[in-house]
Amino acid sequence: MRLALRSALFATAVIVAPFFILLFLPTIAVGQSRLPPCSNATPVESWDNCQGTSTFVNGQYVGEFKDGKRNGQGTSTFGGGEQYVGEFKDGAYNGQGTLTYTDGTKFVGQFKDGKQNGQGTFTFGKGSKYVGEFKDGKQNGQGTYTYTDGTKFVGQFKDGKQN
């Protein structure tokens, strides 16, 4: 009885799985955007409610545009290897995102007007880590700083310093 049930479940999974793969694959392949591609015939400044690729002096942006600006989900990659993946508003990092630096330092959390604001985790290239609140790109509020040797400071931070 159990063998028959397992065989039936396996057969159902084999039939249903390809359906879901075909259903969701187009969304995954285009970076989870349902916006149409931007026209290459028009300049970036006029791109509105579309997805495209824009190259700038020191890097490239791939993602969504509104009113000629980066708006929505996207990825900015810079010449030095730094990368931001996340939400944009009016051309700036805004919302949830991940900023990765070439030395392995990484920030995962909330942004506002291009700066870390809200909750986030900053992992430094050498292994230390800060988890907590940010304001205007600095550690501000309640947080936990874990040093490379495992010791921790739990408490208040102000303007990027333990308070």
Side-chain angles (χ1 to χ4, degrees), residues 54 56 61 64-66 68-72 76 78 88-93:
S54 173
F56 45 91
Y61 170 77
E64 300 174 337
F65 288 85
K66 182 178 179 187
K69 295 180 182 175
R70 297 171 288 177
N71 272 290
S76 277
F78 301 94
F88 290 81
K89 182 177 178 187
D90 295 329
Y93 309 156

Side-chain angles (χ1 to χ4, degrees), residues 76-130:
S76 277
T77 306
F78 301 94
E82 295 172 359
Q83 184 179 60
Y84 173 81
V85 178
E87 297 176 70
F88 290 81
K89 182 177 178 187
D90 295 329
Y93 309 156
N94 218 71
Q96 189 67 28
T98 300
L99 182 58
T100 307
Y101 298 90
T102 56
D103 67 356
T105 299
K106 181 188 278 191
F107 175 80
V108 178
Q110 299 170 328
F111 289 83
K112 183 177 179 188
D113 299 326
K115 296 179 182 176
Q116 296 107 339
N117 263 296
Q119 294 294 317
T121 300
F122 206 110
T123 306
F124 298 89
K126 305 242 184 214
S128 57
K129 182 193 296 190
Y130 171 80

Side-chain angles (χ1 to χ4, degrees), residues 28-161:
I28 294 166
V30 295
Q32 299 186 4
S33 176
R34 298 220 182 259
L35 294 177
C38 297
S39 169
N40 287 336
T42 59
V44 173
E45 295 82 31
S46 62
W47 284 357
D48 190 32
N49 293 321
C50 62
Q51 60 177 332
T53 300
S54 173
T55 302
F56 45 91
V57 175
N58 63 341
Q60 183 179 57
Y61 170 77
V62 178
E64 300 174 337
F65 288 85
K66 182 178 179 187
D67 298 326
K69 295 180 182 175
R70 297 171 288 177
N71 272 290
Q73 294 293 323
T75 300
S76 277
T77 306
F78 301 94
E82 295 172 359
Q83 184 179 60
Y84 173 81
V85 178
E87 297 176 70
F88 290 81
K89 182 177 178 187
D90 295 329
Y93 309 156
N94 218 71
Q96 189 67 28
T98 300
L99 182 58
T100 307
Y101 298 90
T102 56
D103 67 356
T105 299
K106 181 188 278 191
F107 175 80
V108 178
Q110 299 170 328
F111 289 83
K112 183 177 179 188
D113 299 326
K115 296 179 182 176
Q116 296 107 339
N117 263 296
Q119 294 294 317
T121 300
F122 206 110
T123 306
F124 298 89
K126 305 242 184 214
S128 57
K129 182 193 296 190
Y130 171 80
V131 178
E133 299 175 70
F134 288 81
K135 183 177 179 187
D136 295 326
K138 296 179 182 175
Q139 303 157 347
N140 261 300
Q142 185 66 31
T144 301
Y145 191 99
T146 305
Y147 295 89
T148 54
D149 66 3
T151 59
K152 293 182 181 186
F153 171 81
V154 178
Q156 291 291 316
F157 289 78
K158 184 171 181 169
D159 295 326
K161 298 177 183 169

Side-chain angles (χ1 to χ4, degrees), residues 4 20 91 99 163:
F20 282 105
L99 182 58
N163 192 11

